[in-house]
Amino acid sequence: MTRRTANDFHPEILKLFDLHVHGFISRRRFIDSAAKFVAGATAAAGVLEALSPRFAEAEQIAKDDARIKTRYLDYPSPDGYGTVRGYLAEPAQTGKKLPVVLVVHENRGLNPHIEDIARRLAVDQFIAFAPDALTPLGGYPGDEDKARELFPKLDQAKTHNDFLAAAKFAKELPDSNGKVGVVGFCYGGGIANFLATRVPDLAGAVPFYGAQPTADETAKIKAPLLIHYAGADDRINAGWPAYEAALKANNVKYEAYIYPGVQHGFNNDTTPRYDEAAAKLAWQRTVDFFKANLVS
Protein backbone atom coordinates (compact mmCIF):
# COMPACT_ATOMS: atom_id res chain seq x y z
CA MET A 1 0.00 0.00 0.00
CA THR A 2 1.29 3.46 -0.90
CA ARG A 3 2.37 5.39 2.16
CA ARG A 4 0.39 8.59 2.74
CA THR A 5 2.25 11.88 3.04
CA ALA A 6 1.45 15.37 4.25
CA ASN A 7 0.47 16.27 0.69
CA ASP A 8 -2.54 13.95 1.01
CA PHE A 9 -4.13 16.17 3.65
CA HIS A 10 -5.64 19.64 3.59
CA PRO A 11 -3.17 22.19 5.03
CA GLU A 12 -5.72 23.34 7.60
CA ILE A 13 -6.16 19.76 8.79
CA LEU A 14 -2.40 19.51 9.28
CA LYS A 15 -2.51 22.68 11.38
CA LEU A 16 -5.34 21.23 13.45
CA PHE A 17 -3.44 17.99 13.89
CA ASP A 18 -0.38 19.90 15.13
CA LEU A 19 -2.56 21.63 17.72
CA HIS A 20 -4.09 18.32 18.77
CA VAL A 21 -0.75 16.51 19.02
CA HIS A 22 0.60 19.22 21.29
CA GLY A 23 -2.44 19.29 23.55
CA PHE A 24 -3.87 22.63 22.47
CA ILE A 25 -7.15 21.13 21.25
CA SER A 26 -9.02 17.97 22.18
CA ARG A 27 -9.82 15.03 19.95
CA ARG A 28 -13.45 16.21 19.78
CA ARG A 29 -12.46 19.71 18.74
CA PHE A 30 -10.11 18.33 16.08
CA ILE A 31 -12.93 16.24 14.62
CA ASP A 32 -15.45 19.06 14.75
CA SER A 33 -13.02 21.51 13.15
CA ALA A 34 -11.68 19.09 10.55
CA ALA A 35 -15.16 17.97 9.49
CA LYS A 36 -15.62 21.08 7.36
CA PHE A 37 -12.67 20.06 5.17
CA VAL A 38 -13.84 16.48 4.63
CA ALA A 39 -17.19 14.69 4.40
CA GLY A 40 -18.29 15.18 8.00
CA ALA A 41 -17.31 13.97 11.45
CA THR A 42 -16.92 10.30 10.55
CA ALA A 43 -14.46 11.16 7.80
CA ALA A 44 -12.63 13.56 10.14
CA ALA A 45 -12.19 10.76 12.68
CA GLY A 46 -10.75 8.63 9.89
CA VAL A 47 -8.33 11.41 8.99
CA LEU A 48 -7.15 11.60 12.58
CA GLU A 49 -6.55 7.86 12.57
CA ALA A 50 -4.64 8.13 9.28
CA LEU A 51 -2.39 10.83 10.76
CA SER A 52 -1.64 8.84 13.92
CA PRO A 53 1.59 6.87 14.41
CA ARG A 54 2.23 3.43 12.92
CA PHE A 55 5.14 2.29 15.05
CA ALA A 56 5.61 -1.23 13.77
CA GLU A 57 5.53 -0.19 10.12
CA ALA A 58 8.23 2.44 10.65
CA GLU A 59 10.62 0.46 12.82
CA GLN A 60 14.13 0.54 11.33
CA ILE A 61 16.15 -1.43 13.89
CA ALA A 62 14.51 -4.45 15.47
CA LYS A 63 14.61 -4.88 19.22
CA ASP A 64 16.57 -8.11 18.83
CA ASP A 65 19.02 -6.84 16.22
CA ALA A 66 22.27 -8.73 16.81
CA ARG A 67 24.39 -5.59 16.32
CA ILE A 68 23.11 -4.00 19.53
CA LYS A 69 22.03 -4.73 23.08
CA THR A 70 19.25 -2.94 24.93
CA ARG A 71 17.77 -2.77 28.38
CA TYR A 72 15.71 -0.56 30.67
CA LEU A 73 17.30 0.84 33.78
CA ASP A 74 16.56 3.36 36.48
CA TYR A 75 18.69 6.34 37.39
CA PRO A 76 18.60 8.66 40.40
CA SER A 77 17.18 12.16 40.15
CA PRO A 78 17.28 13.60 43.69
CA ASP A 79 16.21 17.09 42.60
CA GLY A 80 13.50 15.78 40.28
CA TYR A 81 11.10 12.90 40.73
CA GLY A 82 13.59 10.75 42.63
CA THR A 83 13.99 7.83 40.23
CA VAL A 84 13.46 7.78 36.46
CA ARG A 85 13.46 4.90 34.01
CA GLY A 86 15.23 5.02 30.67
CA TYR A 87 16.02 2.86 27.67
CA LEU A 88 19.67 2.07 27.01
CA ALA A 89 20.85 0.96 23.58
CA GLU A 90 24.49 0.29 22.78
CA PRO A 91 26.60 -1.66 20.31
CA ALA A 92 26.75 -5.37 21.12
CA GLN A 93 30.54 -5.35 20.93
CA THR A 94 32.66 -2.26 21.45
CA GLY A 95 36.09 -2.88 22.94
CA LYS A 96 36.46 0.82 23.68
CA LYS A 97 34.77 3.67 25.45
CA LEU A 98 32.00 5.34 23.44
CA PRO A 99 30.18 8.68 23.51
CA VAL A 100 26.66 8.83 24.87
CA VAL A 101 23.69 10.52 23.20
CA LEU A 102 20.62 11.35 25.24
CA VAL A 103 17.48 10.88 23.15
CA VAL A 104 14.60 13.06 24.33
CA HIS A 105 11.06 12.22 23.32
CA GLU A 106 8.14 14.32 22.20
CA ASN A 107 5.26 15.13 24.55
CA ARG A 108 4.13 11.50 24.73
CA GLY A 109 6.95 9.91 26.69
CA LEU A 110 9.21 7.02 25.75
CA ASN A 111 7.20 5.48 22.92
CA PRO A 112 8.39 2.81 20.44
CA HIS A 113 9.56 5.41 17.93
CA ILE A 114 11.99 7.00 20.39
CA GLU A 115 13.29 3.57 21.37
CA ASP A 116 13.90 2.90 17.67
CA ILE A 117 15.80 6.20 17.39
CA ALA A 118 18.01 5.05 20.27
CA ARG A 119 18.69 1.75 18.51
CA ARG A 120 19.61 3.58 15.30
CA LEU A 121 22.24 5.53 17.21
CA ALA A 122 23.58 2.33 18.75
CA VAL A 123 24.05 0.86 15.27
CA ASP A 124 26.10 3.98 14.49
CA GLN A 125 28.42 3.19 17.42
CA PHE A 126 26.99 5.47 20.07
CA ILE A 127 25.60 4.60 23.46
CA ALA A 128 22.06 5.97 23.41
CA PHE A 129 20.03 6.63 26.54
CA ALA A 130 16.38 7.68 26.32
CA PRO A 131 14.75 8.75 29.61
CA ASP A 132 11.00 8.53 30.06
CA ALA A 133 9.65 11.74 31.60
CA LEU A 134 6.37 9.93 32.30
CA THR A 135 8.06 7.56 34.77
CA PRO A 136 6.47 9.21 37.86
CA LEU A 137 3.04 8.76 36.26
CA GLY A 138 3.58 5.10 35.46
CA GLY A 139 5.66 5.52 32.32
CA TYR A 140 4.59 5.57 28.70
CA PRO A 141 1.11 3.96 28.79
CA GLY A 142 1.26 2.29 25.38
CA ASP A 143 -1.34 4.65 23.94
CA GLU A 144 -0.55 8.02 22.38
CA ASP A 145 -3.78 9.71 23.48
CA LYS A 146 -3.34 8.56 27.07
CA ALA A 147 0.30 9.66 27.01
CA ARG A 148 -0.68 13.09 25.73
CA GLU A 149 -3.24 13.42 28.51
CA LEU A 150 -0.68 12.48 31.15
CA PHE A 151 2.01 14.89 30.05
CA PRO A 152 0.48 18.15 31.39
CA LYS A 153 0.29 16.53 34.83
CA LEU A 154 4.08 16.60 35.15
CA ASP A 155 5.78 19.23 37.28
CA GLN A 156 8.08 20.61 34.60
CA ALA A 157 10.59 21.95 37.12
CA LYS A 158 11.07 18.40 38.43
CA THR A 159 11.05 16.96 34.92
CA HIS A 160 13.76 19.38 33.79
CA ASN A 161 15.85 18.25 36.75
CA ASP A 162 15.23 14.65 35.69
CA PHE A 163 16.86 15.40 32.34
CA LEU A 164 19.77 17.18 34.03
CA ALA A 165 20.23 14.08 36.16
CA ALA A 166 20.09 11.95 33.00
CA ALA A 167 23.01 13.90 31.51
CA LYS A 168 25.07 13.26 34.64
CA PHE A 169 24.07 9.59 34.68
CA ALA A 170 24.96 9.19 31.00
CA LYS A 171 28.39 10.69 31.45
CA GLU A 172 29.14 8.22 34.26
CA LEU A 173 28.01 5.08 32.45
CA PRO A 174 30.78 2.43 32.63
CA ASP A 175 31.38 2.37 28.87
CA SER A 176 31.08 6.13 28.36
CA ASN A 177 34.05 8.08 27.01
CA GLY A 178 32.90 11.02 29.14
CA LYS A 179 31.33 12.95 26.27
CA VAL A 180 27.57 13.42 26.21
CA GLY A 181 25.38 14.92 23.52
CA VAL A 182 21.62 15.26 23.22
CA VAL A 183 19.10 15.00 20.42
CA GLY A 184 15.46 15.85 21.01
CA PHE A 185 12.28 16.17 19.03
CA CYS A 186 9.57 18.79 19.54
CA TYR A 187 9.25 18.83 23.37
CA GLY A 188 12.56 17.02 23.36
CA GLY A 189 14.02 19.68 21.08
CA GLY A 190 13.16 22.21 23.75
CA ILE A 191 14.86 20.00 26.33
CA ALA A 192 17.94 19.76 24.10
CA ASN A 193 18.08 23.56 24.04
CA PHE A 194 17.52 23.66 27.80
CA LEU A 195 20.33 21.21 28.53
CA ALA A 196 22.67 23.29 26.38
CA THR A 197 22.00 26.24 28.70
CA ARG A 198 22.51 24.23 31.88
CA VAL A 199 25.23 21.63 31.24
CA PRO A 200 28.54 23.44 30.70
CA ASP A 201 30.40 20.35 29.48
CA LEU A 202 27.69 19.15 27.11
CA ALA A 203 29.52 18.08 23.97
CA GLY A 204 26.76 18.89 21.50
CA ALA A 205 23.01 19.45 21.20
CA VAL A 206 20.69 18.74 18.29
CA PRO A 207 17.18 20.16 18.72
CA PHE A 208 14.62 19.15 16.10
CA TYR A 209 11.89 21.83 15.91
CA GLY A 210 12.24 22.65 19.59
CA ALA A 211 11.18 25.64 21.66
CA GLN A 212 13.96 28.15 22.11
CA PRO A 213 15.49 29.50 25.34
CA THR A 214 15.47 33.18 26.26
CA ALA A 215 18.32 35.45 25.28
CA ASP A 216 19.60 35.43 28.87
CA GLU A 217 19.63 31.64 28.92
CA THR A 218 21.22 31.44 25.47
CA ALA A 219 24.17 33.41 26.81
CA LYS A 220 25.02 30.39 29.01
CA ILE A 221 25.43 27.93 26.11
CA LYS A 222 28.91 26.47 25.69
CA ALA A 223 28.07 23.44 23.53
CA PRO A 224 27.98 23.47 19.74
CA LEU A 225 24.47 23.23 18.30
CA LEU A 226 22.94 21.66 15.22
CA ILE A 227 19.43 23.04 14.84
CA HIS A 228 16.71 21.61 12.59
CA TYR A 229 13.45 23.38 11.71
CA ALA A 230 10.52 22.50 9.47
CA GLY A 231 9.69 25.11 6.85
CA ALA A 232 5.92 24.81 7.40
CA ASP A 233 6.06 25.20 11.18
CA ASP A 234 5.06 28.78 11.94
CA ARG A 235 4.41 28.04 15.61
CA ILE A 236 7.99 27.00 16.44
CA ASN A 237 9.75 29.05 13.77
CA ALA A 238 8.38 32.26 15.25
CA GLY A 239 11.01 31.99 17.98
CA TRP A 240 13.96 31.42 15.66
CA PRO A 241 14.94 35.01 14.73
CA ALA A 242 15.38 36.03 18.37
CA TYR A 243 17.22 32.80 19.17
CA GLU A 244 19.57 33.22 16.23
CA ALA A 245 20.28 36.80 17.23
CA ALA A 246 21.14 35.67 20.77
CA LEU A 247 23.36 32.84 19.48
CA LYS A 248 25.28 35.30 17.31
CA ALA A 249 25.52 37.90 20.08
CA ASN A 250 27.08 35.33 22.40
CA ASN A 251 29.36 33.71 19.80
CA VAL A 252 27.75 30.30 20.21
CA LYS A 253 28.91 27.80 17.63
CA TYR A 254 25.88 26.61 15.69
CA GLU A 255 24.54 25.35 12.40
CA ALA A 256 20.87 25.79 11.57
CA TYR A 257 18.80 24.33 8.77
CA ILE A 258 15.23 25.06 7.77
CA TYR A 259 13.86 22.33 5.50
CA PRO A 260 11.51 24.00 3.00
CA GLY A 261 7.89 22.98 2.83
CA VAL A 262 8.00 20.19 5.41
CA GLN A 263 5.82 19.80 8.48
CA HIS A 264 6.64 19.91 12.17
CA GLY A 265 7.54 16.33 13.01
CA PHE A 266 9.06 15.68 9.59
CA ASN A 267 11.69 13.36 11.10
CA ASN A 268 9.09 11.10 12.73
CA ASP A 269 8.65 8.28 10.23
CA THR A 270 5.62 6.82 12.01
CA THR A 271 3.19 9.44 10.65
CA PRO A 272 2.34 11.01 7.27
CA ARG A 273 4.05 14.24 8.32
CA TYR A 274 7.32 12.40 7.75
CA ASP A 275 9.32 13.74 4.83
CA GLU A 276 11.81 11.14 3.67
CA ALA A 277 14.26 13.43 1.89
CA ALA A 278 14.41 16.03 4.65
CA ALA A 279 14.54 13.43 7.40
CA LYS A 280 17.38 11.46 5.84
CA LEU A 281 19.39 14.62 5.27
CA ALA A 282 18.75 15.94 8.78
CA TRP A 283 19.61 12.59 10.35
CA GLN A 284 22.85 12.21 8.40
CA ARG A 285 23.82 15.71 9.48
CA THR A 286 22.98 14.72 13.05
CA VAL A 287 25.11 11.58 13.03
CA ASP A 288 28.00 13.43 11.39
CA PHE A 289 27.70 16.21 14.00
CA PHE A 290 27.89 13.74 16.87
CA LYS A 291 30.84 11.93 15.32
CA ALA A 292 32.66 15.25 14.95
CA ASN A 293 31.94 16.49 18.47
CA LEU A 294 31.60 13.42 20.70
CA VAL A 295 34.09 10.88 19.43
CA SER A 296 37.48 11.16 21.13
Side-chain angles (χ1 to χ4, degrees), residues 219-281:
K220 302 173 185 177
I221 295 177
K222 305 299 181 186
L225 306 177
L226 174 63
I227 303 168
H228 301 296
Y229 289 116
D233 188 7
D234 294 343
R235 179 175 59 85
I236 291 296
N237 293 354
W240 171 234
Y243 189 26
E244 183 175 36
L247 290 170
K248 289 180 176 178
N250 291 283
N251 297 310
V252 177
K253 183 180 178 181
Y254 76 95
E255 298 174 66
Y257 298 95
I258 300 176
Y259 300 84
V262 303
Q263 298 290 318
H264 181 99
F266 72 85
N267 187 72
N268 187 333
D269 51 1
T270 71
T271 83
R273 295 196 296 177
Y274 171 67
D275 185 279
E276 183 177 12
K280 286 185 174 180
L281 178 57

Side-chain angles (χ1 to χ4, degrees), residues 2 18 27 36 65 78 92 103 107 119 128 135 157 177 180 225 229 255 268 271:
T2 302
D18 185 70
R27 176 186 176 86
K36 69 183 70 173
D65 191 299
V103 183
N107 66 324
R119 294 193 294 271
T135 298
N177 72 351
V180 176
L225 306 177
Y229 289 116
E255 298 174 66
N268 187 333
T271 83

Side-chain angles (χ1 to χ4, degrees), residues 8-293:
D8 295 320
F9 300 89
H10 193 288
E12 292 302 317
I13 285 181
L14 292 173
K15 291 179 182 178
L16 290 167
F17 182 70
D18 185 70
L19 293 174
H20 172 62
V21 165
H22 296 98
F24 296 114
I25 63 173
S26 67
R27 176 186 176 86
R28 172 48 53 192
R29 185 173 171 189
F30 171 90
I31 291 173
D32 290 344
S33 300
K36 69 183 70 173
F37 301 105
V38 292
T42 300
V47 167
L48 181 56
E49 175 64 22
L51 283 164
S52 298
R54 300 285 190 274
F55 295 124
E57 295 173 18
E59 183 179 80
Q60 291 190 24
I61 308 297
K63 299 177 181 65
D64 59 355
D65 191 299
R67 295 171 293 177
I68 62 172
K69 54 186 178 181
T70 65
R71 61 190 170 109
Y72 297 94
L73 71 169
D74 297 333
Y75 68 91
S77 178
D79 296 321
Y81 275 105
T83 302
V84 181
R85 170 159 282 204
Y87 182 73
L88 184 71
E90 53 191 327
Q93 297 182 0
T94 59
K96 61 179 181 180
K97 302 288 187 179
L98 295 175
V100 185
V101 178
L102 289 179
V103 183
V104 187
H105 53 66
E106 300 154 307
N107 66 324
R108 273 94 68 201
L110 182 59
N111 64 22
H113 170 64
I114 295 300
E115 293 185 356
D116 191 36
I117 291 286
R119 294 193 294 271
R120 296 175 200 180
L121 285 164
V123 168
D124 277 318
Q125 299 300 298
F126 297 98
I127 299 170
F129 185 60
D132 186 358
L134 288 177
T135 298
L137 301 177
Y140 176 71
D143 178 280
E144 291 288 281
D145 287 336
K146 291 179 181 178
R148 190 180 300 110
E149 292 168 3
L150 284 174
F151 218 78
K153 299 178 181 180
L154 291 170
D155 179 331
Q156 283 299 320
K158 289 185 177 180
T159 297
H160 279 62
N161 283 335
D162 288 342
F163 284 110
L164 289 170
K168 180 177 184 294
F169 177 77
K171 184 176 182 179
E172 296 172 353
L173 285 168
D175 293 325
S176 167
N177 72 351
K179 292 188 177 181
V180 176
V182 58
V183 60
F185 308 90
C186 186
Y187 171 84
I191 293 295
N193 281 321
F194 163 73
L195 290 177
T197 70
R198 294 289 299 276
V199 182
D201 61 349
L202 190 70
V206 183
F208 276 77
Y209 27 83
Q212 302 89 356
T214 65
D216 287 345
E217 290 298 308
T218 301
K220 302 173 185 177
I221 295 177
K222 305 299 181 186
L225 306 177
L226 174 63
I227 303 168
H228 301 296
Y229 289 116
D233 188 7
D234 294 343
R235 179 175 59 85
I236 291 296
N237 293 354
W240 171 234
Y243 189 26
E244 183 175 36
L247 290 170
K248 289 180 176 178
N250 291 283
N251 297 310
V252 177
K253 183 180 178 181
Y254 76 95
E255 298 174 66
Y257 298 95
I258 300 176
Y259 300 84
V262 303
Q263 298 290 318
H264 181 99
F266 72 85
N267 187 72
N268 187 333
D269 51 1
T270 71
T271 83
R273 295 196 296 177
Y274 171 67
D275 185 279
E276 183 177 12
K280 286 185 174 180
L281 178 57
W283 190 248
Q284 188 59 58
R285 285 170 169 164
T286 297
V287 172
D288 290 345
F289 173 85
F290 284 139
K291 287 181 178 179
N293 288 285

